[in-house]
Amino acid sequence: MRYLIATDGSEVSDTAVERAARDASALEASLEIVHVLTPETEFVDGALVLPGEERAVEYGERTLRQATELATETVAEGADLEITTELLAGRPAAAIADYAAEADVDGIYVGHRGLSTEHERVVGSVAKAVVDKSTVPVTIVK
């Protein structure tokens, strides 16, 4: 079995990482932790540029490292939990659901509301959109 956990570095994402790590460890499943890069884009002289790309990648890599450490600390001492990480790019819900389908995971874990709470009030929750787009079971953690 293989589970995917999407994190944005928020407290609720950390709670979801802990839950996914416990479940994966109990079922002897592997865990893939992903973070979706969503740098702001701008048009400069008619070309699309990503001025925050380097910062976004650094933040994403740091977020994945912290989530990996948290997952490792969460499981029982001596438990062997295989953890891999991946940086994705695009619209978060679509990137998560598409990657889950491509990676043939058995389930997805996401936090109920993450760092983009204000934005979600307007356009809807990423977690809800993942449920709508996913072809595998999704666990939403509060």
Side-chain angles (χ1 to χ4, degrees):
M1 290 190 88
R2 187 169 171 205
Y3 292 124
L4 183 142
I5 170 67
T7 182
D8 63 5
S10 65
E11 280 187 44
V12 73
S13 281
D14 288 348
T15 302
V17 167
E18 291 169 338
R19 172 66 186 267
R22 282 192 301 271
D23 290 356
S25 179
L27 296 171
E28 298 180 0
S30 63
L31 188 62
E32 176 123 20
I33 304 172
V34 300
H35 174 77
V36 182
L37 300 174
T38 55
E40 297 298 319
T41 57
E42 295 178 10
F43 276 106
V44 176
D45 296 326
L48 187 64
V49 295
L50 301 170
E53 180 179 9
E54 188 175 315
R55 254 188 342 269
V57 170
E58 288 172 6
Y59 177 81
E61 289 172 345
R62 184 173 59 249
T63 298
L64 291 175
R65 274 193 311 278
Q66 291 170 341
T68 299
E69 290 170 8
L70 180 59
T72 302
E73 293 167 359
T74 299
V75 297
E77 190 173 322
D80 187 27
L81 177 60
E82 178 187 337
I83 301 172
T84 56
T85 63
E86 189 72 36
L87 280 176
L88 308 177
R91 295 177 177 258
I96 293 163
D98 291 348
Y99 184 80
E102 292 168 15
D104 198 29
V105 301
D106 297 292
I108 301 170
Y109 288 76
V110 293
H112 179 253
R113 291 216 186 263
L115 294 177
S116 59
T117 303
E118 285 299 316
H119 186 251
E120 288 173 2
R121 287 186 187 138
V122 177
V123 298
S125 138
V126 170
K128 181 187 179 318
V130 170
V131 170
D132 293 342
K133 294 177 183 310
S134 179
T135 59
V136 298
V138 178
T139 301
I140 299 174
V141 180
K142 279 185 118 175

